[in-house]
Amino acid sequence: MRRWMVAPLMLAAALGMTMWSDIPEAQAQGKGAPPEVETIRTADGMKLQGLFHATTKPKTGSAATSPTVLFLYPPGVDRSMAKGDWESLANTLNAEGFNVFRFDWRGHGKSTDILDPVGDNTNPGFWTNPLTGPWNTRFIRGSNKRPPKNDLFVKEISPSYFPMYVQDLAAVRQHLDVKNDQKQLNSSSLYVIASEDAAALTLLWLTAEWNRPSIHPVLGAGEMYIMVPSPGIRTVPEAGNDIAGAIFLSGSRPMLNSFSPNTIQAWIKNTLKIRDVNPMLFLYGDQDSQGKAAAKFLFEDALVAEGNKQLGVRALEQTFMREVKGGKGLRGVALLGQNGTLKTEDTILAYLNQLEKERGNKVPLTHDYKTPYYINVTAFGVNP
């Protein structure tokens, strides 16, 4: 089974599917229903904007039990969820029974408002909280302004700030869990499609998810879960079980010491369930030697996807690398929007459908997370 990604013919045979020419192309799906604009509050008081694309053709009878796909573009200057052909992919997945959620990272697009710059003793704000406050004041230009800034733009953010974007992922997951509990989607069957450096953020987030309980723990009266990890709090069932799979478009890591090869490898080594339970597909364009090398590192060195008897890890049956023929050096989101020639959308859809088939109808849990929480990145070896 592990070699079904070698060629379209073998893909079709292994998945029990029709040939590529018989698969409806994503470009033919047309526009779906307009997405709902939603806001998300992070633990440190950022206001993020997201778009929820609810499926109109649920796989399991209703959107409440249908799987959800989260889109992640790489943070950076001149990037937002409006750049690239994410919308047509969302329409394609909606038509196949998947809910879709996408959002802008802090400082990007319309995610620029700081709701709580300073806070108080009971609710530390963006610039003053003990977990992200030091990062915010050190790596954001203008942090020393008085009165404190209540907005944030990506041009003010240092590249060294990159690990803090994982706080946005935590907030989005909590937002999706609330929607899950309101029976609007299923966050117990959650997929991720991440482009370029967002792959490294995904791996950091997965590490945190395997150190967090999927269901809000029973704490003292009125107490809320506030930080991952929280020593002494039982993590079973782990939130990592809810991640049904990930697809990386030219998956890579930022050239930062905080995301060094050794650090990323340590996440997997110390949390083997990431490789064993969360299947992944790495796509990269042909003639993109940099994209291939980055994907190869994550696939071979970090995940050890082909197995290693000396290390005592088995080969993975649902994790693959695949070159996108005709990509001619295209990277990341540029691999989307040309399904007629590249078949990227068809490959994504085939992979998600196969994972769903093997996963079965995952009954959504009631997660009961009412408030956002922080990820303590230093606990996972990430330091400024």
Side-chain angles (χ1 to χ4, degrees):
M1 177 177 174
R2 297 192 68 255
R3 298 191 179 277
W4 64 259
M5 295 305 293
V6 173
L9 176 60
M10 298 179 70
L11 168 62
L15 296 186
M17 294 175 53
T18 55
M19 286 298 295
W20 286 123
S21 59
D22 297 322
I23 300 174
E25 292 188 0
Q27 293 173 339
Q29 296 288 355
K31 288 186 176 293
E36 299 176 16
V37 178
E38 300 186 348
T39 59
I40 305 102
R41 182 191 176 100
T42 69
D44 60 357
M46 280 298 306
K47 178 184 177 183
L48 310 180
Q49 184 177 97
L51 294 176
F52 177 50
H53 303 253
T55 180
T56 56
K57 298 180 180 179
K59 283 182 174 292
T60 54
S62 72
T65 54
S66 293
T68 302
V69 183
L70 177 61
F71 291 172
L72 304 177
Y73 63 87
V77 175
D78 198 34
R79 292 173 179 169
S80 75
M81 62 177 168
K83 303 292 179 67
D85 201 2
W86 292 106
E87 184 175 1
S88 65
L89 178 59
N91 292 336
T92 298
L93 296 179
N94 277 173
E96 288 290 326
F98 293 91
N99 298 302
V100 172
F101 195 87
R102 54 192 176 121
F103 70 99
D104 272 324
W105 303 102
R106 58 182 61 196
H108 296 66
K110 296 183 179 179
S111 297
T112 58
D113 292 339
I114 301 174
L115 297 175
D116 194 3
V118 178
D120 53 39
N121 292 334
T122 59
N123 181 35
F126 184 80
W127 302 109
T128 56
N129 79 82
L131 280 174
T132 69
W135 290 78
N136 296 341
T137 56
R138 180 176 177 182
F139 296 117
I140 296 175
R141 190 169 67 248
S143 62
N144 59 349
K145 286 186 176 180
R146 294 294 179 268
K149 272 169 54 65
N150 61 3
D151 54 19
L152 176 64
F153 300 94
V154 65
K155 64 183 180 181
E156 303 167 330
I157 300 175
S158 164
S160 298
Y161 187 76
F162 190 85
M164 285 300 96
Y165 291 114
V166 78
Q167 309 299 338
D168 299 348
L169 261 178
V172 168
R173 172 66 205 264
Q174 185 266 334
H175 178 80
L176 294 178
D177 282 348
V178 170
K179 293 177 71 66
N180 171 96
D181 295 352
Q182 294 172 347
K183 302 188 184 306
Q184 298 180 47
L185 53 75
N186 184 357
S187 67
S188 296
S189 194
L190 181 61
Y191 295 91
V192 178
I193 300 178
S195 175
E196 299 181 78
D197 287 351
L201 274 176
T202 301
L203 291 175
L204 174 57
W205 175 63
L206 283 174
T207 305
E209 287 292 87
W210 282 106
N211 285 273
R212 181 181 70 84
S214 179
I215 299 171
H216 194 286
V218 177
L219 303 173
E223 289 189 27
M224 293 289 127
Y225 187 89
I226 61 173
M227 183 178 67
V228 186
S230 288
I233 292 181
R234 181 177 170 84
T235 59
V236 177
E238 301 105 320
N241 283 304
D242 299 327
I243 313 304
I247 297 174
F248 300 122
L249 304 175
S250 311
S252 59
R253 68 175 185 87
M255 297 296 107
L256 300 170
N257 290 335
S258 55
F259 278 77
S260 71
N262 287 341
T263 299
I264 293 177
Q265 288 173 300
W267 298 339
I268 311 302
K269 181 180 179 180
N270 296 330
T271 316
L272 287 176
K273 287 183 178 180
I274 292 175
R275 72 179 299 278
D276 294 338
V277 180
N278 306 132
M280 303 180 195
L281 171 60
F282 296 86
L283 299 176
Y284 57 91
D286 59 359
Q287 302 180 34
D288 179 11
S289 58
Q290 183 179 355
K292 180 178 180 179
K296 190 173 182 181
F297 161 71
L298 295 174
F299 180 84
E300 294 184 356
D301 299 332
L303 293 175
V304 195
E306 295 180 334
N308 186 310
K309 290 184 178 180
Q310 292 182 335
L311 296 178
V313 293
R314 62 178 177 84
L316 301 177
E317 296 184 351
Q318 293 180 314
T319 293
F320 309 94
M321 280 181 60
R322 182 176 187 267
E323 183 179 81
V324 178
K325 299 296 183 182
K328 296 182 180 180
L330 295 177
R331 305 201 69 199
V333 71
L335 293 171
L336 299 176
Q338 302 180 56
N339 192 57
T341 55
L342 303 183
K343 304 296 183 184
T344 306
E345 286 85 347
D346 285 346
T347 300
I348 289 171
L349 187 55
Y351 186 63
L352 293 180
N353 277 332
Q354 179 63 18
L355 292 182
E356 267 301 287
K357 180 179 179 181
E358 296 188 11
R359 187 176 176 84
N361 294 333
K362 180 74 172 179
V363 177
L365 301 173
T366 298
H367 299 288
D368 205 30
Y369 279 86
K370 301 293 194 301
T371 58
Y373 42 83
Y374 295 91
I375 293 178
N376 181 10
V377 297
T378 60
F380 306 114
V382 178
N383 296 289

